Amino acid sequence: MSTQLDRKHSEMFIDESRIATDKRPWFGALPEGLTDNFSFAVMGDRCGMMTAGVFEQGLELLKDLGPDFVLFVGDLVEGYWKDAANAREEWEYIDAQIAVTGLPFFQTVGNHDYGTQAMVDVWRERKGMDYYAFRVGDYLYLVLNTEDPFDPMSDEFIDLVKSATEKVHRDPENTLQYMKEFYDEIVSQLTPEQMKGMSQVNVGISEQQLAFAEKVLAEHADAKHTFVSMHKPGWKAESAEFARIEALLGDRPYTVFAGHFHSLEFSRQDNRTYIQLGRTGAAAHGTTRGDDNLVLWVNVRGGEISYRVVHLDGVTDAAAYPPHAHGHEEA
């Protein structure tokens, strides 16, 4: 395990036994001096079937608001490429958009980011680690990879995904129609048993990753609050691995952030809070307010944690409101 920065303020933890590389899945560094009063933002899925420009709008907003750092819950690229060149091209674009903001930005692996061997290879080539942890003052962050190992999709299914994605990119206003067509086409090709499997959340967390989580949690049992970031919501899965992580967390207060379903959900149970992030650019899976494009703003103030939702569709530049004449029309 490697430790960087000043232990009294902020530090990063990686599992050096996994991959020997100087590449990291984050941009920038945690600000110095963060202790018991700071703010961070959490962004939801940019992909799959993203609408161009929405995630970038979210980045611009956060650049203006200036959180101390940003946490991302996975699916930055459409992915599922078999050709590494295609994967690199997608990453080149979005990595540049994130880097130019200057915001410390911490990534979590999503299934679109890591869903084929080519995607895994390119992630490791560009970002190295696929799970890690960091500490900010008295607050611990554990970033997990729920695609370890990834769940491979058939070539036929990937072709369906790519076809639907192209339609959404070309005509985003009809995304819900294309999503329905995509779902109907999938259903027409599946057996009842396969349909049952479609509703299951498959979480992959390797023994090596679990050992890392156990070590970090044991060494930071004094943390006031632990934040866990994972792409697929482990609390919705029949996952022995996630159950082990919750057992390791025990009675300490903690929050789990996840994504994957493109719809915001919030629940609390005793010492734990579960937040499934909505989308930040990805296709909508429904029409409720939780299906809007949004970001989550988290304030930590003297041990108290608050969560506020910022809906991007309601945020506009002040220049969109030019002067106009005011007066009362005659009755």
Side-chain angles (χ1 to χ4, degrees):
M1 185 177 296
S2 174
T3 303
Q4 300 170 342
L5 306 183
D6 187 340
R7 170 70 187 186
K8 292 181 292 185
H9 299 299
S10 303
E11 53 190 332
M12 305 294 304
F13 308 100
I14 61 172
D15 184 357
E16 290 183 330
S17 68
R18 186 65 179 257
I19 303 170
T21 175
D22 60 354
K23 303 294 184 181
R24 300 289 183 262
W26 58 79
F27 293 81
L30 290 165
E32 294 291 344
L34 299 182
T35 54
D36 213 29
N37 293 282
F38 58 94
S39 300
F40 65 97
V42 190
M43 301 183 80
D45 299 35
R46 173 178 177 259
C47 298
M49 305 183 191
M50 64 91 183
T51 298
V54 173
F55 185 81
E56 293 86 337
Q57 177 192 356
L59 288 176
E60 282 297 314
L61 175 64
L62 293 180
K63 184 179 178 181
D64 286 344
L65 295 178
D68 290 299
F69 57 92
V70 180
L71 192 62
F72 180 72
V73 297
D75 283 358
L76 261 177
V77 294
E78 298 289 7
Y80 286 113
W81 298 108
K82 299 174 210 172
D83 185 342
N86 295 123
R88 291 189 190 102
E89 183 178 357
E90 271 205 282
W91 281 116
E92 286 288 345
Y93 170 77
I94 196 57
D95 282 349
Q97 299 302 306
I98 295 167
V100 77
T101 68
L103 293 168
F105 188 99
F106 297 87
Q107 298 169 77
T108 305
V109 170
N111 54 293
H112 282 259
D113 309 320
Y114 218 75
T116 65
Q117 190 57 53
M119 298 302 298
V120 171
D121 293 343
V122 171
W123 176 283
R124 291 177 177 174
E125 166 192 303
R126 297 178 65 87
K127 303 172 186 296
M129 307 296 120
D130 54 304
Y131 57 85
Y132 56 99
F134 59 94
R135 181 155 175 160
V136 176
D138 289 328
Y139 299 86
L140 179 67
Y141 292 76
L142 179 62
V143 181
L144 301 174
N145 177 6
T146 56
E147 312 304 310
D148 181 21
F150 69 88
D151 192 16
M153 296 198 309
S154 69
D155 290 347
E156 292 77 16
F157 191 88
I158 289 175
D159 289 343
L160 288 177
V161 170
K162 291 295 185 186
S163 175
T165 299
E166 288 175 8
K167 291 177 183 177
V168 170
H169 287 183
R170 186 172 60 247
D171 183 19
E173 290 186 2
N174 289 306
T175 293
L176 287 176
Q177 173 191 326
Y178 299 134
M179 290 290 291
K180 183 180 184 305
E181 291 174 359
F182 173 63
Y183 179 77
D184 290 344
E185 192 164 6
I186 292 171
V187 169
S188 70
Q189 299 182 28
L190 297 180
T191 65
E193 188 63 29
Q194 289 172 323
M195 275 299 299
K196 183 179 178 181
M198 281 287 291
S199 63
Q200 296 176 341
V201 179
N202 296 317
V203 170
I205 303 175
S206 68
E207 284 295 325
Q208 190 169 8
Q209 189 175 173
L210 285 168
F212 174 79
E214 182 174 10
K215 181 175 177 62
V216 167
L217 290 171
E219 292 179 350
H220 298 272
D222 64 320
K224 286 184 179 178
H225 197 96
T226 299
F227 295 98
V228 179
S229 180
M230 61 196 312
H231 181 63
K232 290 178 180 172
W235 65 93
K236 293 186 173 183
E238 295 180 4
S239 168
E241 292 80 11
F242 183 69
R244 278 180 61 184
I245 287 171
E246 290 212 288
L248 292 169
L249 286 161
D251 294 331
R252 73 182 79 190
Y254 63 92
T255 299
V256 185
F257 300 116
H260 192 58
F261 287 114
H262 303 189
S263 186
L264 181 65
E265 295 179 4
F266 180 97
S267 60
R268 263 199 182 119
Q269 180 183 340
D270 300 324
N271 61 315
R272 63 198 69 176
T273 300
Y274 300 115
I275 303 178
Q276 178 182 287
L277 265 291
R279 62 194 178 108
T280 314
H285 287 182
T287 57
T288 70
R289 190 150 167 77
D291 298 296
D292 289 351
N293 286 298
L294 53 85
V295 297
L296 185 71
W297 187 272
V298 186
N299 274 334
V300 179
R301 296 290 182 268
E304 296 297 319
I305 302 167
S306 63
Y307 305 95
R308 298 289 182 264
V309 181
V310 180
H311 289 260
L312 294 183
D313 298 331
V315 177
T316 54
D317 192 287
Y321 302 86
H324 63 278
H326 290 277
H328 295 284
E329 295 181 358
E330 293 184 4

